[in-house]
Amino acid sequence: LEVVSAMTGLARRAVWLWCVVGVAIGADIAFDAIVDANGKTARFLLAEGADVEATTTEFCERYVNASLVATCKTALREQIEVLEAQRQLPSMTLDVQVSADGKVAKFEHVAGRDVRDEAEAFCSNYVSPEDVSKCASRLVMQAQVENMSVWERLFGSSLVSAAGVPTKVDDALAGKKHVGILFAADWCGPCRQFVPKLIKLYDKLRRRDRLEIVWVSASRSPEAYRAYAAQMPWPAMTYSPERLSALQQALGVVGFPTLLFLDADGRLITADGVKEVNSDPFGLGFPYRSPAQSLQNLRRTIGNLFNAFRRRRA
């Protein structure tokens, strides 16, 4: 199972969470953010050189309920990162279906150019004027998803380290051979029983097997999230009930705690991590591959050795 393929839809959804239309104005960043359940929007502007924390706090305290300020600020920061990433997209060519009969056209983005302008120009050739903006937004999303790593598609652009510091997700997981995804919550009794066992195993395996674990929080408030995160020695996904729900749906998670183990390429090793850890507290069977997976890895290793030997002979 290739988890990255299951997460492409999540990544597209997350890219435009809270945002209707986003544009980069010179070095400024501006977009229309949804600020209530009825779809009302307000214009958010981050001027060049302005403090992100102060600007997002001021906006959220002005437009949303106090209970939603933390979620609002997280969504704004993610959107700022998305729009900044648009400026850094490499050149790429995408095959885009442009008609109901399956006709495909090629969209080309040139590095350094405004991808939104390119998308609008492309869409104007295939959709009615009133649909150009929606078409361009979808196309920009697709371009961004194509440029995301597997970990960005899963968790977003950043994680919160065990010290409580935001860290780029690719930096946090660089060089890891195995990545565990822990779905758990402070209010969950079985989670409180399981997490200490996992911490002991983590201490044994994080260096030996280059293991990292990412906590996906099902806490009911940002305050509970921060308090429970302080008890864990691994990074956490940024608090986001929306992304939690999407991840649960994409990965088939129905209860807490749930622990999945993935390899470095985002392929699922096992979704039964809780059962495996409970029955193997010393990690002797880690990473808990099935016999079929182990045979497949052996065949791949033999094939790689054979190809290397053949190249040397040639």
Side-chain angles (χ1 to χ4, degrees):
L1 174 64
E2 185 78 28
V3 173
V4 62
S5 62
M7 297 313 300
T8 299
L10 168 65
R12 290 192 179 120
R13 173 182 171 183
V15 162
W16 290 98
L17 183 65
W18 284 70
C19 177
V20 180
V21 177
V23 294
I25 309 174
D28 297 343
I29 288 178
F31 52 87
D32 293 324
I34 299 172
V35 293
D36 68 18
N38 297 318
K40 178 183 176 181
T41 64
R43 193 67 170 172
F44 174 82
L45 172 64
L46 179 67
E48 180 181 8
D51 183 80
V52 174
E53 176 66 20
T55 305
T56 56
T57 298
E58 179 183 359
F59 179 91
C60 292
E61 289 181 345
R62 178 179 180 183
Y63 288 106
V64 306
N65 293 331
S67 61
L68 295 175
V69 166
T71 302
C72 170
K73 289 170 61 178
T74 297
L76 291 178
R77 285 195 298 267
E78 288 183 352
Q79 186 60 31
I80 291 166
E81 291 176 359
V82 164
L83 293 174
E84 288 179 336
Q86 285 182 15
R87 296 168 169 166
Q88 301 172 21
L89 283 175
S91 296
M92 64 176 69
T93 301
L94 302 176
D95 290 329
V96 182
Q97 184 175 329
V98 294
S99 67
D101 61 4
K103 180 182 177 182
V104 172
K106 291 188 180 298
F107 167 73
E108 294 187 359
H109 165 63
V110 178
R113 293 185 182 176
D114 189 319
V115 66
R116 178 81 190 188
D117 288 346
E118 293 174 323
E120 289 182 350
F122 175 90
C123 290
S124 66
N125 294 320
Y126 300 102
V127 302
S128 59
E130 60 268 22
D131 291 329
V132 166
S133 180
K134 182 185 294 186
C135 168
S137 294
R138 291 175 183 267
L139 193 50
V140 171
M141 274 194 285
Q142 185 176 346
Q144 290 177 267
V145 170
E146 289 293 325
N147 195 48
M148 286 181 178
S149 71
V150 59
W151 308 126
E152 287 176 311
R153 296 185 190 193
L154 279 166
F155 305 120
S157 61
S158 63
L159 298 175
V160 179
S161 72
V165 179
T167 306
K168 288 185 177 180
V169 65
D170 287 337
D171 292 343
L173 301 180
K176 302 303 179 184
K177 189 176 180 181
H178 305 102
V179 174
I181 306 177
L182 173 65
F183 291 82
D186 55 287
W187 50 261
C188 162
C191 299
R192 293 196 299 271
Q193 295 175 2
F194 176 71
V195 167
K197 298 178 184 177
L198 184 58
I199 290 174
K200 292 180 180 178
L201 182 65
Y202 176 75
D203 289 339
K204 292 181 176 69
L205 299 181
R206 60 179 173 177
R207 291 184 179 86
R208 189 189 84 188
D209 288 279
R210 286 187 286 160
L211 167 68
E212 188 57 276
I213 292 173
V214 177
W215 174 44
V216 177
S217 171
S219 296
R220 291 169 176 160
S221 71
E223 293 76 20
Y225 160 82
R226 288 191 290 270
Y228 202 35
Q231 302 176 32
M232 301 180 188
W234 45 70
M237 187 180 78
T238 302
Y239 181 71
S240 172
E242 295 84 3
R243 185 176 281 275
L244 164 67
S245 177
L247 267 173
Q248 285 183 271
Q249 183 176 359
L251 299 179
V253 174
V254 295
F256 308 112
T258 293
L259 177 62
L260 294 79
F261 285 111
L262 281 60
D263 67 15
D265 296 319
R267 289 186 290 262
L268 182 67
I269 298 173
T270 181
D272 293 324
V274 172
K275 176 183 175 182
E276 298 288 0
V277 170
N278 280 329
S279 62
D280 180 24
F282 296 101
L284 300 178
F286 186 82
Y288 311 121
R289 295 186 187 276
S290 68
Q293 289 174 319
S294 298
L295 179 60
Q296 184 180 32
N297 285 346
L298 178 60
R299 287 174 174 168
R300 186 182 298 117
T301 299
I302 293 173
N304 290 340
L305 289 172
F306 175 76
N307 290 333
F309 176 75
R310 187 171 58 181
R311 286 193 295 269
R312 289 182 64 184
R313 290 286 298 272

